[in-house]
Amino acid sequence: MSIRSTIKIFGFAAVVMLVSACENEKKEAAAPSAAPAAEVGFATLQPSTINLVAEMPGRTVAFRKADVRPQVDGIIKKRSFNEGAYVEAGQQLYQIDKDKYQAELDAAQAELARARANLELATKTRIRYEALRKSRTASEQSYDDAVAAEAQSKAAIASAQAGVDKARIELDYTNVVAPLSGQIGASSDSEGALVTASQAEALATITQLDPIYVDVTQAGGKLLKIKDAIATGRVTGVDEANIEVRLVLDATGQKYPLAGKLEFSDVTVNETTGSVRLRAVFPNPEKILLPGMFVRGYVDQGRIENAYLVPQRAVMRRPDGGAYVYLVGDENKVVSKDVTIEQSRDEDWVVTAGVDPGDRVIVDGLQRIAPGMAVTPKDVDADVASPKSTKG
């Protein structure tokens, strides 16, 4: 074979090998690559004893409240308090013109004195006729008349005494005093105003602010649920005589620094809202709480054993309301589990059934996974625990 023929053969072989290599590269480029496992963050669950706290909307209510109204007619001569000040029970608030009532008392006392004088005369007459009757000098009729006159004089004294008491009471009513201790509001009348005993408008209102009531409401169904849990022993640690309540002020979002105590629970359910009213009493020495404020009450409702705190972002809902979570199962594959939720607590759900100790619940990357998929798990708690490096 000539050299030229040999060169042609080798050249053709090289071209064939080059074309084959290009085709292999195209096939490798066209072949789909295997999708990597999705990375998810998980938290490891461990059971614990969890205190149950129910959040309830509520409003503050005055501990005591009294409208100050006149009990006699007259002109106000003097007002003896500063609006908005603290007043003591029995402290004078207003002075109504008392001249008329003083005169009525004087007249009643004079009538009493006259009745007593008449009784003294009637008693002497009865004694005299009693002696004459024994000596048969006076008739029985005359003696009976003397006895009756004495009895009428005694009755007249009793009536006159009642008149004196009534006049004295009305005179005392001209001095309008505080019925209880507390903060007094604005005065509706000033000096020179005519007031009447039957008027509808109060002269002023006194409100006792320390302590103060807080009325919160809870759905009747939830109340029955917690009572059943206590009765069955699933929830323990409830001392009905010392149930603590804490407050958050709706207006500012601040926590009220002092704890209150639950006083009672209504025995009826509101027909409109289906809720039950609970009343708590709070110390209020700084007068931070004022009647009518909107608050959120947090009521202790015992503790539950072997419960789990599951981040709320890990829990999903079905259309029927059922709750479920995704777990990292064997071979790092996604597993779906139904869970039973007791209540919320901060950013977690209190879960009482459906998960086991050591379960790895998926909290991040939920949008990219489905049951049965293989995933690359990453412990979010470990990331939080390890400090991040910073460049100086």
Side-chain angles (χ1 to χ4, degrees):
M1 182 179 294
S2 63
I3 294 176
R4 182 175 293 178
S5 299
T6 303
I7 292 173
K8 288 181 178 180
I9 292 172
F10 277 106
F12 178 76
V15 171
V16 171
M17 292 177 63
L18 180 61
V19 171
S20 178
C22 290
E23 290 180 352
N24 288 337
E25 289 179 359
K26 290 180 180 179
K27 290 180 180 179
E28 290 177 0
S33 59
E39 184 177 286
V40 296
F42 72 87
T44 304
L45 301 181
Q46 294 296 339
S48 62
T49 299
I50 298 174
N51 293 325
L52 299 180
V53 179
E55 179 182 348
M56 307 177 192
R59 293 188 75 174
T60 53
V61 180
F63 189 77
R64 289 192 182 95
K65 185 177 180 180
D67 290 335
V68 180
R69 285 187 170 87
Q71 299 188 61
V72 293
D73 303 341
I75 301 294
I76 294 179
K77 289 292 187 180
K78 180 181 178 183
R79 192 189 77 189
S80 306
F81 66 92
N82 294 322
E83 295 173 321
Y86 181 85
V87 295
E88 295 283 353
Q91 177 181 332
Q92 184 185 36
L93 303 178
Y94 298 92
Q95 179 63 61
I96 297 174
D97 185 11
K98 62 181 180 179
D99 293 345
K100 169 188 172 183
Y101 300 98
Q102 181 64 59
E104 290 178 352
L105 176 60
D106 294 342
Q109 289 175 333
E111 179 64 25
L112 177 60
R114 187 177 67 83
R116 285 174 175 168
N118 289 338
L119 175 61
E120 183 178 359
L121 176 60
T123 300
K124 291 180 178 179
T125 302
R126 190 261 310 163
I127 294 173
R128 186 180 307 112
Y129 273 101
E130 185 176 5
L132 294 173
R133 187 191 61 163
K134 290 180 181 179
S135 63
R136 298 183 180 275
T137 305
S139 65
E140 289 291 333
Q141 182 64 49
S142 299
Y143 175 74
D144 292 341
D145 291 342
V147 171
E150 182 183 31
Q152 289 175 355
S153 297
K154 290 180 179 179
I157 286 180
S159 177
Q161 183 64 59
V164 169
D165 294 341
K166 179 183 177 183
R168 183 175 287 114
I169 291 172
E170 290 183 342
L171 179 62
D172 291 341
Y173 280 160
T174 61
N175 182 22
V176 182
V177 300
L180 54 85
S181 300
Q183 303 295 131
I184 191 165
S187 174
S188 62
D189 293 286
S190 60
E191 292 84 347
L194 173 64
V195 295
T196 60
S198 58
Q199 70 180 46
E201 185 180 16
L203 295 175
T205 299
I206 300 174
T207 305
Q208 184 175 344
L209 299 177
D210 184 25
I212 193 169
Y213 286 131
V214 175
D215 287 351
V216 295
T217 56
Q218 183 177 36
K222 289 186 178 181
L223 185 62
L224 291 176
K225 183 178 178 182
I226 194 66
K227 285 185 175 181
D228 179 70
I230 294 171
T232 58
R234 188 168 61 86
V235 173
T236 58
V238 178
D239 181 3
E240 295 187 358
N242 294 285
I243 296 178
E244 187 176 85
V245 184
R246 292 197 171 271
L247 290 183
V248 171
L249 307 182
D250 275 3
T252 61
Q254 294 179 338
K255 293 182 178 179
Y256 184 66
L258 303 176
K261 177 182 174 183
L262 192 66
E263 287 281 291
F264 75 91
S265 170
D266 262 351
V267 295
T268 58
V269 177
N270 186 291
E271 296 179 359
T272 304
T273 62
S275 60
V276 178
R277 182 182 65 161
L278 309 178
R279 170 163 284 186
V281 61
F282 281 78
N284 191 29
E286 302 298 325
K287 311 297 188 296
I288 296 174
L289 300 177
L290 301 176
M293 294 177 65
F294 288 97
V295 296
R296 280 175 286 146
Y298 293 85
V299 183
D300 286 344
Q301 294 189 321
R303 60 177 179 268
I304 189 167
E305 308 288 343
N306 298 319
Y308 300 83
L309 288 176
V310 178
Q312 291 185 2
R313 66 181 188 273
V315 179
M316 294 163 285
R317 297 277 185 178
R318 296 190 179 89
D320 62 359
Y324 66 97
V325 296
Y326 284 152
L327 304 178
V328 179
D330 297 336
E331 299 180 356
N332 289 339
K333 290 186 176 181
V334 178
V335 178
S336 175
K337 274 193 175 182
D338 293 343
V339 293
T340 301
I341 294 175
E342 183 71 30
Q343 63 175 221
S344 65
R345 179 173 177 181
D346 297 330
E347 297 181 353
D348 299 320
W349 291 114
V350 178
V351 174
T352 56
V355 292
D356 299 305
D359 278 352
R360 297 179 292 174
V361 62
I362 298 174
V363 296
D364 293 328
L366 293 167
Q367 300 84 356
R368 304 188 298 270
I369 61 175
M373 286 182 58
V375 294
T376 302
K378 186 178 182 181
D379 190 347
V380 295
D381 292 334
D383 290 344
V384 172
S386 60
K388 296 181 180 180
S389 61
T390 57
K391 294 181 180 181

